[in-house]
Amino acid sequence: MPGEESLILRHRLAHEFGLTLQAFRYSGASSTMSDISERLESFVRDLQAPAVHFVGHSLGGLVIHRFLERFPDQPPGAVVFLGTPCVGSRAAERAARFAPIAHLMGQSVAEELLQPQERRWTQPRPLGIIAGSQPIGVGQLLAQFAEENDGTVAVSETRMPGATDHIVLPVSHLGMLLSARVARETGSFLTEGRFSLR
């Protein structure tokens, strides 16, 4: 992702919680997950920070998950996933049936989203997951969800065994990045280790 999509979220986290934010940019279409995680390891190492939190939206959550599996020796901190399809993505799987769309998805999406996954959070750092329940997005048409979803990812797809907490907010998949409430819950989890709704 280019990084600009998280600009409003980063501004709110910096302003309301005093956090220093750095956007990690990657291409899910042209890079493998192995390549992306290696670049993230170098990115984090160059920060030379005593503590590092991670926030990932959608596939970004799986980037963080794979990165910490491969490079677990990182500075302490918490993790928040926003609309991350932890067990795979029905919308992505159905979109991949169309050759032009499948080509645009790239290898990292194919590796992580097109087959059901049995992921588990085994890291010592806390993981908070925010799912959305406002079904606005083309994924709704592709997956034909018959359950709560954010227009791209079903709430059930965001659950990961071992996570510290999981909440559902009335936001769409892309709307998460613009939501003041999502920013507030993200900042609360990063700084206090819990969502304020609990």
Side-chain angles (χ1 to χ4, degrees), residues 113-191:
L113 299 183
L114 300 187
Q115 298 294 328
Q117 303 280 343
E118 293 186 12
R119 298 182 177 95
R120 182 174 188 84
W121 188 256
T122 59
Q123 302 298 323
R125 63 180 64 222
L127 168 64
I129 298 174
I130 300 177
S133 61
Q134 191 172 61
I136 300 173
V138 294
Q140 170 74 3
L141 300 174
L142 290 167
Q144 299 177 335
F145 294 116
E147 60 180 297
E148 266 193 321
N149 68 89
D150 65 9
T152 302
V153 178
V155 170
S156 64
E157 293 175 328
T158 66
R159 298 189 183 278
M160 180 181 284
T164 308
D165 204 354
H166 182 284
I167 60 172
V168 181
L169 297 178
V171 292
S172 68
H173 194 65
L174 291 177
M176 289 184 182
L177 297 173
L178 307 175
S179 167
R181 190 172 178 188
V182 168
R184 187 164 59 250
E185 293 300 333
T186 298
S188 175
F189 194 89
L190 295 180
T191 57

Side-chain angles (χ1 to χ4, degrees), residues 4-174:
E4 285 74 19
E5 72 284 348
S6 65
L7 185 62
I8 293 174
L9 174 62
R10 286 186 281 133
H11 174 77
R12 286 181 168 137
L13 290 174
H15 180 72
E16 296 176 30
F17 294 91
L19 297 170
T20 301
L21 282 297
Q22 301 287 338
F24 173 69
R25 295 165 174 83
Y26 66 94
S27 171
S30 62
S31 302
T32 66
M33 191 59 79
S34 177
D35 292 338
I36 295 169
S37 62
E38 284 179 9
R39 286 190 49 242
L40 181 53
E41 194 278 333
S42 177
F43 180 85
V44 173
R45 187 174 62 248
D46 289 347
L47 294 176
Q48 297 185 335
V52 178
H53 301 302
F54 296 93
V55 178
H57 176 253
S58 199
L59 182 64
L62 299 181
V63 168
I64 294 165
H65 181 247
R66 291 302 188 199
F67 159 70
L68 290 173
E69 277 189 329
R70 189 171 174 193
F71 304 102
D73 188 19
Q74 299 299 323
V79 179
V80 174
F81 288 175
L82 306 175
T84 294
C86 297
V87 298
S89 169
R90 275 171 282 169
E93 186 272 325
R94 292 186 181 178
R97 296 176 186 176
F98 302 95
I101 298 176
H103 177 71
L104 292 174
M105 285 182 172
Q107 189 171 346
S108 61
V109 171
E111 290 171 11
E112 300 296 330
L113 299 183
L114 300 187
Q115 298 294 328
Q117 303 280 343
E118 293 186 12
R119 298 182 177 95
R120 182 174 188 84
W121 188 256
T122 59
Q123 302 298 323
R125 63 180 64 222
L127 168 64
I129 298 174
I130 300 177
S133 61
Q134 191 172 61
I136 300 173
V138 294
Q140 170 74 3
L141 300 174
L142 290 167
Q144 299 177 335
F145 294 116
E147 60 180 297
E148 266 193 321
N149 68 89
D150 65 9
T152 302
V153 178
V155 170
S156 64
E157 293 175 328
T158 66
R159 298 189 183 278
M160 180 181 284
T164 308
D165 204 354
H166 182 284
I167 60 172
V168 181
L169 297 178
V171 292
S172 68
H173 194 65
L174 291 177

